[in-house]
Amino acid sequence: MVSVPPKPSPSSGQVPSSRERSLVPVGMATILPHAAKQVRRLEEQLLGQVNQWGYEEIILPTFEYLDVLAPGLEPELIEHCYQFVDRTTGRTLILRPDATAQIARTVAMGLTGSVLPLRLSYRTSVFRYEQEHAGRGREIFQVGAELIGLDDVASDSEVIGLMIECLSTIGLQSFKVSLGHVGFIKGLLMRSGLSAQGQKLAEQAAARKDLPRLEELLAGERISKTAARAIREAPELYGQEEVLARGRVLAAGDPALTAPLERLAQVYQLLCAAGYRESLLLDLGEFRGFDYYDGVVFDVFAEGMGAELGGGGRYDHLIGRFGRPLPSTGFGLDVDRLFRTVEFPEEGSVSARVDYLVAAPRRATRRLMEVAAQLRRTRSRVVQQTMKGSDTALVSAAVTAGLAQQAAAVVVVGAPGMDHDDVLVVEPLAAHRQGSRTGNLSRLSKKVGLADLVAAARRSRRQVKERSCSGR
């Protein structure tokens, strides 16, 4: 976007900085029509797949009371929230920083009823302050799903399998789901004898895969060389079944470590049996950044994208922070990163943006509205436009407008010599895109009764629907 910088204030004599001149807040984006169409298509494909698995969509509020949502948010995330004061109550409000915490609060309040399990999905934006050099926006578009009320390997496998199917549905060709269990590395840190503060900092370093920082923390506290060696090794243990074998060696029979490994192994085996082996990678250092995760966790990565496309995991204690303990698991996908990763089919220049452009001189505006309305009732996409100028130039002006709108056909109402129930149809407009703009109109235009045009439009929409169904 190109913007004109404001003039400097005469009183200050200073030139505003580039940040002050910006017309759009840093980290925010305007999605233009062509990209918006593709984004919505992505979202509909994702939600369609989630719906097939029995998940129902929930629409979450854009802002919440900070004191209400805070139990589900870690302090670092609260620091990155956009906060403002409610003019009515004086209480602090925050723009939605995390959809999972909102769903946990909603379920705990009993708003979703008492029947379990719950399968919920969402399409929403979350807002977080990020440094300008962080490489991501401050409004993050997400699609996700949550499975609430079940605690077993089948539910863990369900949400991971669902996420894989979502990615396949949108045409993502090459991706890997990194599977881990936060209990394993947490158990190693606890067993090591690190201080409580040291454990917290080490968890944060492990979540970021910041091995130099992890090394620094281990060196700063008195722990055994064996414990330190195991902690250093865990973030680099990734692969297939051999990873679990090495993990059991590091566990040395400690139940606090073997139990997470066994849970992870069972989930991995179920997913492999379901045909997802090629998409899976075991990672004993997998440790998602949100501190409410307490079981099997996962991230998804794709070639060409230097950050995760999404992820999730088990959070059995999060809803309990709001007063109603319930085991839960789920995932969220970053729609912007998916948009940048997925290859969309090329849309040639002859593809129609609308089905009909209905045009008429101003004196026939009422009839223009009537014709456009009848065509829209056939589920056709219709743009209507009144034309300026003389009647002799009406058809050529309408065709020019139709080309600009990328219409498949132009319907001219009120053309000279036309009866009230007739219209002039010019199609296909693709011929004009390939050759002269408005030449040879007489060859491509024909007089049609409105009833016949509407019937043809219905047949066309029915054929499109049949082709769509047969291609599924």
Side-chain angles (χ1 to χ4, degrees):
M1 182 185 70
V2 179
S3 61
V4 179
K7 295 179 181 179
S9 168
S11 60
S12 67
Q14 297 179 345
V15 178
S17 68
S18 60
R19 183 182 292 104
E20 292 170 335
R21 292 198 301 264
S22 175
L23 300 182
V24 177
V26 173
M28 308 299 286
T30 299
I31 303 177
L32 299 177
H34 179 69
K37 181 179 178 181
Q38 295 176 326
V39 167
R40 291 304 186 205
R41 185 184 303 153
L42 267 183
E43 292 177 340
E44 291 301 329
Q45 288 175 325
L46 293 169
L47 288 174
Q49 182 64 239
V50 169
N51 181 64
Q52 285 187 330
W53 288 52
Y55 288 72
E56 296 182 298
E57 186 176 2
I58 184 172
I59 300 176
L60 302 163
T62 303
F63 47 85
E64 297 256 6
Y65 286 119
L66 173 59
D67 60 308
V68 173
L69 201 62
L73 305 175
E74 56 189 294
E76 184 178 357
L77 183 57
I78 292 176
E79 291 179 6
H80 286 77
C81 289
Y82 287 93
Q83 304 183 21
F84 53 101
V85 176
D86 184 351
R87 295 182 182 183
T88 303
T89 65
R91 295 165 67 184
T92 300
L93 294 166
I94 56 172
L95 286 178
R96 177 196 309 113
D98 180 42
T100 301
Q102 279 190 298
I103 290 176
R105 187 266 306 159
T106 302
V107 172
M109 290 174 64
L111 300 180
T112 54
S114 59
V115 178
L116 297 173
L118 281 170
R119 287 178 170 84
L120 302 174
S121 64
Y122 59 88
R123 164 177 44 188
T124 195
S125 297
V126 297
F127 304 88
R128 300 170 192 157
Y129 174 78
E130 300 282 355
Q131 296 291 338
E132 290 185 46
H133 63 270
R136 72 175 305 164
R138 295 174 180 175
E139 180 181 12
I140 305 164
F141 297 90
Q142 292 184 335
V143 169
E146 312 291 345
L147 175 52
I148 298 165
L150 295 176
D151 179 15
D152 53 30
V153 294
S155 53
D156 287 332
S157 303
E158 177 178 327
V159 295
I160 299 168
L162 172 55
M163 187 184 73
I164 293 173
E165 291 295 338
C166 284
L167 297 173
S168 298
T169 294
I170 63 174
L172 196 59
Q173 298 296 320
S174 179
F175 61 89
K176 288 289 184 183
V177 177
S178 175
L179 291 178
H181 195 300
V182 298
F184 182 74
I185 197 161
K186 275 191 172 183
L188 286 176
L189 294 172
M190 189 174 297
R191 188 177 69 177
S192 70
L194 281 169
S195 64
Q197 178 66 9
Q199 286 184 42
K200 182 64 177 177
L201 294 174
E203 288 175 8
Q204 294 172 353
R208 297 190 301 268
K209 299 286 186 182
D210 188 348
L211 300 184
R213 174 58 175 161
L214 186 59
E215 181 68 37
E216 178 186 338
L217 292 168
L218 295 176
E221 297 202 24
R222 293 184 177 181
I223 62 174
S224 71
K225 292 182 178 180
T226 301
R229 190 182 306 115
I231 294 170
R232 291 190 197 97
E233 186 177 349
E236 298 184 354
L237 283 177
Y238 51 89
Q240 302 300 326
E241 288 88 344
E242 71 279 0
V243 169
L244 296 170
R246 181 57 188 166
R248 292 186 180 99
V249 172
L250 296 180
D254 185 344
L257 297 171
T258 57
L261 287 174
E262 182 58 29
R263 177 78 170 233
L264 180 60
Q266 291 177 19
V267 171
Y268 177 74
Q269 289 161 7
L270 282 176
L271 290 169
C272 288
Y276 301 128
R277 179 184 295 272
E278 294 302 314
S279 300
L280 302 176
L281 183 72
L282 288 167
D283 184 354
L284 295 191
E286 180 60 49
F287 197 104
R288 288 186 60 76
F290 292 101
D291 65 356
Y292 53 64
Y293 288 113
D294 51 23
V296 172
V297 290
F298 49 93
D299 280 312
V300 58
F301 298 89
E303 294 180 6
M305 179 58 66
E308 72 277 7
L309 302 177
R314 180 160 289 282
Y315 51 96
D316 287 344
H317 299 92
L318 175 60
I319 300 178
R321 297 182 189 179
F322 295 98
R324 186 186 178 192
L326 284 172
S328 307
T329 182
F331 70 86
L333 293 169
D334 188 316
V335 174
D336 176 61
R337 289 177 177 174
L338 290 176
F339 174 77
R340 288 184 279 149
T341 305
V342 172
E343 293 186 7
F344 293 93
E346 289 291 332
E347 294 187 9
S349 59
V350 298
S351 62
R353 191 176 70 84
V354 297
D355 298 311
Y356 299 99
L357 177 123
V358 182
R362 289 183 175 177
R363 58 181 167 75
T365 299
R366 178 176 295 182
R367 187 59 175 160
L368 167 71
M369 301 278 290
E370 294 171 352
V371 172
Q374 289 196 46
L375 286 172
R376 289 192 182 105
R377 292 189 190 106
T378 70
R379 300 293 184 130
S380 298
R381 192 165 188 226
V382 180
V383 171
Q384 63 190 53
Q385 186 169 334
T386 55
M387 310 304 299
K388 298 178 181 178
S390 65
D391 282 353
T392 56
L394 174 62
V395 177
S396 61
V399 169
T400 299
L403 290 169
Q405 292 288 340
Q406 293 181 270
V410 166
V411 177
V412 182
V413 178
M418 287 286 168
D419 294 334
H420 180 269
D421 292 330
D422 292 336
V423 295
L424 187 69
V425 179
V426 183
E427 63 179 346
L429 285 195
H432 293 285
R433 298 188 186 98
Q434 300 300 325
S436 61
R437 298 285 288 179
T438 57
N440 301 319
L441 286 179
S442 59
R443 182 169 56 85
L444 295 172
S445 59
K446 58 183 178 181
K447 183 172 72 172
V448 178
L450 179 57
D452 293 334
L453 176 62
V454 170
R458 285 201 178 94
R459 286 195 300 271
S460 177
R461 297 305 299 173
R462 187 162 54 246
Q463 290 168 359
V464 169
K465 185 176 181 180
E466 289 172 353
R467 286 197 299 269
S468 176
C469 293
S470 65
R472 290 177 182 173

